[in-house]
Amino acid sequence: MSKVVEVSPTTRHEGHTKLVLKVNDEGIIERGDWLSITPVRGIEKLAIGKTMHQAPKISSRVCGICPIAHTLAGIEAMEGSIGCEIPDDAYLLRIILQCANRLHSHALHNILSLPDMYLPGTDVQINPFSKEEPVRSVALRLQRLREIGQTIGEIAGGEPIHPSNPRIGGMYKNVSPRAKAKMYDLAKEGVSLAVAQMDFMISVFKNWDERGTAAVAGSYEVEKNSKFGFHDQGYMAVDPLYGNTNLDADQRWFPERWTDVRPWDWYMGQEDITLDDPNYPNHATTPAGGKAWPQMEACTAVPLYDGAPVEVGPRARLAMFRNYDRKGAMGLQIARQMEYPDTLYSMIDAIDALDTSGSVIADEIPQGDGSLGWCANEAPRGTDVHLAKVKDGRVQWYSLLVPTTWNFPTVSRALEGAPWQLAEVIVRAYDPCVSCATHMMVVDEEKKVVAQKLVQ
């Protein structure tokens, strides 16, 4: 008979989530529900009636880790609605910004993943804050990669976190020749660091994959199995690096293929919790005797593409554009590391091509007639889709389909077959960024809010 265990909250990722797991007598997950419990932000509603220039700045505030992706996706959705093409040099500055965001984000995720891992060839778990070598050198390398990413982002985007330079129609200003030279020098320095970091992390993840057991967040060890984190869902990605909009001749994302399912129709109903573990790290399992109700507690819709969940992110990009085929949670982790060098090389190419004397603002910026525009931006965690309708310069409708929203249902499938104590390792492989995923309220057929406690 299945038992039910709840892990709440999950840790070492952005935002707040929980796991509700049905497990068999051997502790293997038969069904897993991973859901957001981060309060709703209401970004789409805040944007209605605002100018098209304000809305992307509002949406970028939904998150402090991927604001560059949200800024670019929001702006390009508005540009898609009004039919505004931007100058080539503005596009190059956006490419540089995109690469800076990815470099910083991947390095940050390494820090969050390392405590689950071991130094290859040893039984020593990695503490990224240790002063011992080789971990100390790895930590310093990661911080330098993050510094390079954020400094270049600040130069191209105006701010290191929420970029102020991108605007509807291009960019507010080009960079100076001296700033271009500084970005180039930083990117060149980053190449050797990124290659070394990629090699180290891939060896760590392959080593973990080959182990027979793994520790539960630094605590006791459990046996693993050979298909840890596998799923049979498809992939969705629109570009190896940047993105795609409705203005592109070669459109690679199609709004008519997207549908939303209510949490009520997707997640488990009310369940009695019948299993807990006082030894689980941080005492994160809910005591037996309590109740879990995923379909009422989930804060996100469930987006589907062609009627099914899809995986987005590094592996999806590599699978669709480079024939990458490594499955499982570590297959995803390895794919993320493989993006390190390409990110720096793409950044250098864009800096090389940038003309600092070129115009970065469109000659004419239409005000829009209410047509649908969209942008699918390949954020570090996956495809970040923004859709907008702009009329007379003001936003009539706005929607965000962010990477972790796409990955929630796919991760739930990937949990099946794994030891429940290691479920968080699978979740962390997807580098979840949850805050920007909570963008809806749960209502019934009469539009009555049925999860009001989540939005108070």
Side-chain angles (χ1 to χ4, degrees):
M1 182 176 178
S2 297
K3 296 179 180 178
V4 176
V5 59
E6 179 182 83
V7 179
S8 180
T10 54
T11 58
R12 276 193 276 129
H13 59 74
E14 191 281 338
H16 304 284
T17 74
K18 68 162 62 176
L19 288 157
V20 181
L21 310 168
K22 285 187 177 179
V23 304
N24 64 19
D25 291 338
E26 286 72 45
I28 301 300
I29 299 169
E30 296 175 331
R31 170 172 176 155
D33 275 4
W34 177 48
L35 53 143
S36 166
I37 53 174
T38 301
V40 172
R41 302 295 180 90
I43 291 294
E44 290 103 330
K45 292 299 182 186
L46 286 172
I48 303 299
K50 303 292 191 303
T51 72
M52 60 182 174
H53 299 282
Q54 290 175 293
K57 296 185 183 301
I58 294 171
S59 66
S60 78
R61 264 63 184 179
V62 74
C63 179
I65 298 178
C66 26
I68 288 174
H70 285 305
T71 298
L72 297 178
I75 285 175
E76 293 187 10
M78 304 294 160
E79 290 169 347
S81 177
I82 63 176
C84 181
E85 303 278 356
I86 68 171
D88 290 344
D89 289 305
Y91 180 72
L92 289 170
L93 283 172
R94 291 183 183 182
I95 292 285
I96 295 167
L97 256 181
Q98 178 89 349
C99 293
N101 187 200
R102 186 173 294 182
L103 178 64
H104 155 67
S105 184
H106 282 5
L108 177 61
H109 182 249
N110 283 176
I111 297 172
L112 299 175
S113 292
L114 280 173
D116 289 322
M117 304 294 142
Y118 299 79
L119 284 175
T122 77
D123 289 327
V124 178
Q125 278 202 277
I126 298 175
N127 172 5
F129 304 106
S130 169
K131 295 181 179 178
E132 302 295 325
E133 293 292 354
V135 178
R136 178 67 170 172
S137 295
V138 172
L140 292 174
R141 187 165 64 212
L142 282 170
Q143 295 295 25
R144 182 56 180 159
L145 285 168
R146 294 183 63 214
E147 186 177 37
I148 289 172
Q150 289 202 311
T151 302
I152 291 176
E154 183 175 11
I155 294 171
E159 310 289 343
I161 305 298
H162 294 98
S164 56
N165 197 21
R167 56 160 294 170
I168 308 293
M171 305 289 277
Y172 279 102
K173 62 180 182 180
N174 205 335
V175 299
S176 68
R178 185 175 180 181
K180 173 179 171 174
K182 182 172 183 178
M183 291 193 296
Y184 186 85
D185 289 344
L186 287 169
K188 289 285 284 184
E189 177 191 348
V191 170
S192 59
L193 296 175
V195 171
Q197 187 61 22
M198 175 188 69
D199 290 343
F200 174 77
M201 293 303 296
I202 289 178
S203 69
V204 165
F205 291 130
K206 285 184 175 178
N207 172 75
W208 195 94
D209 234 1
E210 293 166 358
R211 294 178 64 87
T213 63
V216 183
S219 185
Y220 57 93
E221 298 226 351
V222 298
E223 289 188 7
K224 295 162 47 201
N225 51 36
S226 60
K227 292 189 175 182
F228 185 80
F230 279 54
H231 64 76
D232 296 323
Q233 306 308 136
Y235 298 119
M236 185 177 80
V238 300
D239 191 84
L241 176 73
Y242 191 66
N244 191 238
T245 80
N246 59 294
L247 298 180
D248 292 326
D250 176 21
Q251 292 188 16
R252 299 187 289 273
W253 193 83
F254 302 91
E256 62 273 17
R257 294 170 64 180
W258 151 59
T259 53
D260 265 343
V261 177
R262 298 183 309 172
W264 184 267
D265 298 321
W266 184 266
Y267 288 109
M268 282 186 268
Q270 191 174 41
E271 297 285 345
D272 294 326
I273 296 171
T274 54
L275 175 65
D276 59 25
D277 183 354
N279 296 318
Y280 192 86
N282 302 317
H283 306 289
T285 59
T286 304
K291 293 185 181 300
W293 199 348
Q295 63 184 188
M296 282 293 290
E297 297 172 293
C299 291
T300 60
V302 179
L304 307 175
Y305 204 61
D306 293 332
V310 289
E311 178 182 324
V312 300
R315 177 166 52 198
R317 289 190 283 265
L318 266 62
M320 295 187 68
F321 295 100
R322 290 176 56 180
N323 297 317
Y324 181 80
D325 61 358
R326 185 154 185 155
K327 303 290 185 181
M330 295 307 113
L332 172 54
Q333 291 275 29
I334 290 170
R336 182 173 293 108
Q337 315 318 310
M338 292 172 64
E339 290 193 326
Y340 263 125
D342 286 350
T343 299
L344 270 304
Y345 292 137
S346 298
M347 184 187 290
I348 289 171
D349 287 345
I351 295 171
D352 260 340
L354 179 67
D355 177 1
T356 56
S357 299
S359 171
V360 293
I361 185 69
D363 292 334
E364 181 183 358
I365 300 177
Q367 296 301 294
D369 60 3
S371 298
L372 174 67
W374 54 262
C375 172
N377 177 283
E378 284 299 329
R381 293 160 184 79
T383 313
D384 180 23
V385 183
H386 287 217
L387 305 99
K389 292 181 180 178
V390 178
K391 185 176 182 180
D392 299 329
R394 292 194 176 272
V395 177
Q396 291 186 314
W397 178 77
Y398 193 28
S399 187
L400 284 67
L401 305 169
V402 307
T404 299
T405 310
W406 292 104
N407 277 335
F408 268 119
T410 299
V411 174
S412 296
R413 298 283 171 82
L415 294 168
E416 296 172 3
W420 74 263
Q421 298 94 332
L422 298 178
E424 286 191 80
V425 179
I426 297 174
V427 166
R428 281 193 279 272
Y430 286 79
D431 190 12
C433 194
V434 180
S435 294
C436 44
T438 57
H439 68 289
M440 68 164 288
M441 294 180 286
V442 182
V443 298
D444 63 14
E445 290 80 2
E446 297 176 356
K447 305 299 183 186
K448 179 182 177 183
V449 175
V450 295
Q452 190 169 5
K453 64 180 181 180
L454 299 175
V455 297
Q456 287 175 336

